[in-house]
Amino acid sequence: MRDFIARPEHGIVWISGASSGIGRALALKLAGEGYKVAVTARSHEKLVELQAEASGLSGSIIVLDGDVTDAEDMEHVMASIEYEHGTLAMAILNAGVYLPVHAEDLHRADFEKSFAVNLSGVVNCLLPAIRHMKAKGQGQIAIISSVTGYGGLPTGAAYGATKAALINMAESLKFDLDKMGIRIQLVSPGFVDTPATRKNAFPMPALISVEDAAQHIAAGLKSQAFEISFPKRFTLMLKLARMLPYGAYFALVNRVTGWQERPSETGHHPATPHPAE
């Protein structure tokens, strides 16, 4: 039996973190394919601009403001979808933040915000979405992680930890969701040109545009694959690197990033690029 694949006629697609980056590009891509897309973020103005940009497309954009770190907010968004707009067919949990972490100058706030947005923010959307889909007996969920979750990288102690947790979360939930008729997928992008990655201090390998990322994700959502990872060659290299013994892995990362040769004084490290939403 083939897994459920959400089509426009099945209902609403909900995208969190849709005001910029991958979320925004994906909302436009899916609206262009005829989907009715509910978009959530804290910036009402950016969501309204997104809605206006989609006005000529075959689908449509529904603006539903909300902060993913507020569980009650996400319950209200889900209730609005269910009672005002229709059945939730697909949830794409994309909201995320990248805050570089340096061991020479650690700040609790960097970890707390990263965990609140990237990890708890997904859970806050996931719970009401699964409850709704369970009642309908079908649905599709995509969790946006990152190849940074495959293994530790310089400055990624907070961001990478959350993405690794999302990988494990999606893998673990799949066993039960399969039995419920709810399909879950893991999205693992490489480096994508977003407002967050533009702050990085050195070139990012295999960098792609948000439009290309949206095309990869949109195609993957219609496939039977559990993981949607791209660009393929780059993500495969990172997976293979993580299979190395720790000594070889750390040596490889140091060589590729040049991190071992960089000054260790606080604040002198340029941020290592990490894929961002």
Side-chain angles (χ1 to χ4, degrees):
M1 181 178 177
R2 292 174 66 83
D3 292 332
F4 174 75
I5 296 177
R7 305 294 184 189
E9 61 270 20
H10 291 141
I12 309 295
V13 176
W14 177 25
I15 303 179
S16 67
S19 61
S20 65
I22 292 174
R24 189 180 194 281
L26 186 56
L28 289 172
K29 173 67 175 172
L30 294 179
E33 295 179 358
Y35 289 88
K36 184 181 289 187
V37 184
V39 293
T40 298
R42 291 179 300 172
S43 175
H44 176 75
E45 293 76 14
K46 290 182 179 179
L47 294 182
V48 170
E49 291 173 3
L50 173 61
Q51 184 180 48
E53 188 171 342
S55 61
L57 301 178
S58 57
S60 60
I61 298 287
I62 303 165
V63 173
L64 297 175
D65 299 340
D67 183 346
V68 296
T69 66
D70 187 326
E72 188 174 340
D73 255 12
M74 295 305 98
E75 291 285 351
H76 290 160
V77 168
M78 185 66 253
S80 179
I81 292 172
E82 187 170 10
Y83 296 112
E84 298 176 26
H85 302 288
T87 298
L88 176 66
M90 184 192 304
I92 301 172
L93 310 183
N94 165 76
V97 62
Y98 165 55
L99 300 174
V101 169
H102 299 279
E104 304 96 324
D105 188 27
L106 293 174
H107 298 279
R108 182 181 301 274
D110 292 336
F111 289 91
E112 290 177 342
K113 183 174 182 179
S114 297
F115 297 162
V117 177
N118 299 357
L119 188 52
S120 294
V122 168
V123 173
N124 291 340
C125 298
L126 192 64
L127 268 57
I130 289 177
R131 187 174 63 247
H132 176 94
M133 292 175 180
K134 180 182 177 182
K136 303 296 180 183
Q138 67 180 23
Q140 185 173 355
I141 295 168
I143 293 179
I144 310 295
S145 180
S146 165
V147 294
T148 306
Y150 292 167
L153 294 173
T155 77
Y159 181 81
T162 64
K163 297 304 185 178
L166 291 180
I167 291 171
N168 190 286
M169 181 189 298
E171 292 171 347
S172 299
L173 287 172
K174 187 178 189 306
F175 296 101
D176 288 332
L177 293 179
D178 280 351
K179 295 186 291 185
M180 297 162 59
I182 301 172
R183 183 178 182 212
I184 188 166
Q185 289 175 286
L186 175 69
V187 182
S188 303
F191 296 119
V192 180
D193 184 14
T194 68
T197 59
R198 288 176 201 139
K199 299 175 184 177
N200 290 317
F202 53 84
M204 294 165 280
L207 181 70
I208 65 172
S209 68
V210 290
E211 291 78 17
D212 285 343
Q215 288 184 13
H216 282 291
I217 296 171
L221 293 172
K222 300 176 186 66
S223 75
Q224 291 293 313
F226 168 69
E227 185 181 32
I228 304 167
S229 62
F230 55 89
K232 287 294 184 184
R233 182 178 298 179
F234 177 64
T235 56
L236 178 60
M237 287 173 57
L238 288 178
K239 282 190 175 183
L240 292 175
R242 198 59 190 91
M243 296 172 67
L244 295 170
Y246 273 120
Y249 175 77
F250 293 137
L252 176 63
V253 172
N254 268 318
R255 184 164 68 249
V256 170
T257 64
W259 197 257
Q260 204 165 37
E261 287 71 41
R262 293 171 184 270
S264 60
E265 289 81 10
T266 298
H268 285 194
H269 286 301
T272 293
H274 289 267
E277 290 68 24

